[in-house]
Amino acid sequence: MKLGFLTACLPESDLTDIARWAASQGFEALEVAGWPSSDDRNHIRVDRFDDAEHDRIARIFAESGLTLSSIAYYENNLHPQEGAEVNAHVRRCIDAAAALGCPTVGTFVGRHPGLPVLDNLKRATDVFGPLVEYARQRGVEIVIENCVMKSWHPDGYPGNLAYSPELWEWMFTLGLKLNWDPSHLVALGIDPMTALTPYIRHIAHVQAKDTQILPGEIDRYGHYGPISGEKGWYRFRVPGLGQVDWTRVIDALYEGGYDGVVSVEHEDPVWSGSTERVQTGLGIAYRTLRHLMPG
């Protein structure tokens, strides 16, 4: 296993600087943000991926010695108006990943908020069948993060239909893989370990994020959270500052044969607000996880 992080937490930094800092701190991999150029999470410019951009990214990883674990573009592939463009950008991410020898592209299933879940799953089958085949032909796997994305639904219901093991099993029938993140399971009342062990062979990437339960708040809001759709009774933290038992998680991954990248996804509000604070948060995550990992 290798330890890395998702670069989206440092949108103001150049990928060259991120890679140099990451290598100097002992990280071994980067999951690189690949949103369109109009978004500040665009450390790789997949929407203008020419020979110069290919050479720029390849040189950064060659010089730093880091592994490019995944190209990240987490958007709603079932959006009623924007879905087709999201699908097209996923294809651009796949093309860039194939050219760079990157094994995975990460995205969300998403949801049409005006349709029932079963109707959404039918639409998703039509959307992801061709995307998975497009990726397969280029030697790339599509990984889906099990994030709930409540903010995508007007009533705060799940906006990404990949949040539970029941839905993972549906995803696997399409050839999709899992970018497993235990923080979202804690927020749904699902035991991360129970939801991990049976599915390790379907996991192609791991995101490391923690969840802190705020005392007393769930008794006011319940698991669905406030009517505003916000979290309300929990918040995301860097690994080591929440409820996830990382010793058991890493041990189970190792025992189950997972030998890929564990990528810290930094969404910790305490360690945010400046590059220095984000880097401090990443350092906390590193110290929590590194000594647990073989190699």
Side-chain angles (χ1 to χ4, degrees), residues 1-14:
M1 276 186 269
K2 293 182 178 181
L3 181 58
F5 63 86
L6 172 58
T7 66
C9 61
L10 293 166
E12 72 289 345
S13 298
D14 181 81

Side-chain angles (χ1 to χ4, degrees), residues 206-246:
V206 171
Q207 283 186 333
K209 187 163 76 257
D210 219 326
T211 300
Q212 179 185 19
I213 305 302
L214 303 176
E217 295 300 304
I218 195 170
D219 295 323
R220 172 172 173 78
Y221 299 118
H223 274 99
Y224 289 111
I227 57 175
S228 64
E230 297 300 317
K231 300 176 184 67
W233 57 274
Y234 66 92
R235 61 180 180 176
F236 294 132
R237 304 300 308 273
V238 293
L241 300 180
Q243 316 296 127
V244 176
D245 187 337
W246 292 102

Side-chain angles (χ1 to χ4, degrees), residues 87-110:
N87 306 157
H89 195 75
V90 170
R91 284 184 170 84
R92 291 190 283 269
C93 290
I94 292 167
D95 290 339
L100 291 163
C102 175
T104 67
V105 166
T107 191
F108 287 140
V109 171

